Amino acid sequence: ETGVTQSPTHLIKTRGQQVTLRCSSQSGHNTVSWYQQALGQGPQFIFQYYREEENGRGNFPPRFSGLQFPNYSSELNVNALELDDSALYLCASSRTGKDTGELFFGEGSRLTVL
Amino acid sequence: EDQVTQSPEALRLQEGESSSLNCSYTVSGLRGLFWYRQDPGKGPEFLFTLYSAGEEKEKERLKATLTKKESFLHITAPKPEDSATYLCAVQAATGGQNFVFGPGTRLSVLP
């Protein structure tokens, strides 16, 4: 069974730039969620995708957007990067969208904004 | 608003010294409470799900329990490899898809 994989593992951007992070979900999972984890804090929910549509969103501005593809992989896009966007971005997959069970996380993408 | 707090913030134990971590929550109806382990620079690793007060789950040296307002993660005779940050999260029964995480407890087990 293939786990959740994320790319890139690390990246550095400057303020105002745009970034795309990618995630392949665990086999058999059709729901993908994205979380932001600042240093020393717990993960914060950004949004979830189920059947290629956004299925819930946390308190993040519209410059955070996403996509889910027919193979259940996903992208997180962040426009107009700010210094506070520096964080570990975690992708998590789960089996269903309506009755989400356990989340299974990838290793994360560490974003540094200078 | 759903909230999760965890205590202590950090805990240092000697190998073999048992202890408990606390997770207190307020949620508009609990669908599930989840415990995760996170190693530095890695994604959280799923440990347990608890659904109702009185429920208990065990895995090796870890045991999780749940009441109506809090959960405990008991660590019996810990080993250095148990050192990690332990995260607690809740999912509300109100139809929301998000998990609300606490800030975690950083556990260090010294040999």
Side-chain angles (χ1 to χ4, degrees):
Chain A
E1 187 177 72
T2 307
V4 178
T5 58
Q6 294 187 241
S7 63
T9 54
H10 295 84
L11 68 168
I12 300 173
K13 294 284 188 178
T14 56
R15 198 169 49 181
Q17 285 189 312
Q18 178 265 343
V19 68
T20 297
L21 308 178
R22 295 179 175 81
C23 170
S24 294
S25 61
Q26 185 164 315
S27 60
H29 289 185
N30 57 14
T31 301
V32 174
S33 303
W34 285 92
Y35 285 77
Q36 180 195 67
Q37 187 175 24
L39 207 57
Q41 297 182 23
Q44 276 198 298
F45 176 68
I46 303 175
F47 43 55
Q48 184 187 78
Y49 277 83
Y50 173 61
R51 291 185 174 176
E52 302 176 51
E53 291 192 357
E54 191 178 287
N55 186 38
R57 188 179 184 94
N59 190 25
F60 281 81
R63 60 189 184 84
F64 285 78
S65 63
L67 285 171
Q68 187 182 30
F69 300 99
N71 66 353
Y72 307 130
S73 65
S74 177
E75 285 183 356
L76 165 65
N77 298 290
V78 187
N79 293 321
L81 284 167
E82 301 177 359
L83 298 179
D84 285 348
D85 295 333
S86 295
L88 182 67
Y89 286 85
L90 294 163
C91 172
S93 70
S94 52
R95 284 200 172 84
T96 62
K98 293 284 186 184
D99 186 20
T100 307
E102 299 88 0
L103 297 176
F104 293 88
F105 286 88
E107 298 287 86
S109 293
R110 170 74 61 186
L111 171 65
T112 302
V113 182
L114 302 176
Chain B
E1 184 181 337
D2 302 335
Q3 285 191 334
V4 177
T5 58
Q6 292 186 245
S7 62
E9 183 177 320
L11 180 62
R12 184 173 289 191
L13 299 174
Q14 289 296 132
E15 184 172 1
E17 180 187 1
S18 301
S19 188
S20 296
L21 313 182
N22 175 265
C23 169
S24 295
Y25 63 91
T26 54
V27 65
S28 48
L30 181 69
R31 180 183 289 180
L33 184 140
F34 303 81
W35 282 98
Y36 285 84
R37 169 195 170 124
Q38 187 173 27
D39 293 305
K42 304 281 189 180
E45 176 188 345
F46 170 74
L47 293 174
F48 302 110
T49 309
L50 301 166
Y51 292 105
S52 56
E55 191 174 357
E56 298 182 354
K57 294 272 180 74
E58 283 190 68
K59 179 180 179 179
E60 296 180 358
R61 295 176 292 283
L62 300 177
K63 181 169 126 177
T65 62
L66 181 65
T67 72
K68 288 189 177 178
K69 292 186 178 181
E70 56 191 354
S71 176
F72 293 93
L73 185 65
H74 307 276
I75 304 176
T76 302
K79 298 183 178 182
E81 54 261 41
D82 295 322
S83 298
T85 294
Y86 290 85
L87 296 165
C88 170
V90 296
Q91 188 182 26
T94 53
Q97 300 305 317
N98 58 308
F99 282 42
V100 177
F101 280 83
T105 293
R106 286 193 319 277
L107 174 66
S108 300
V109 182
L110 308 175

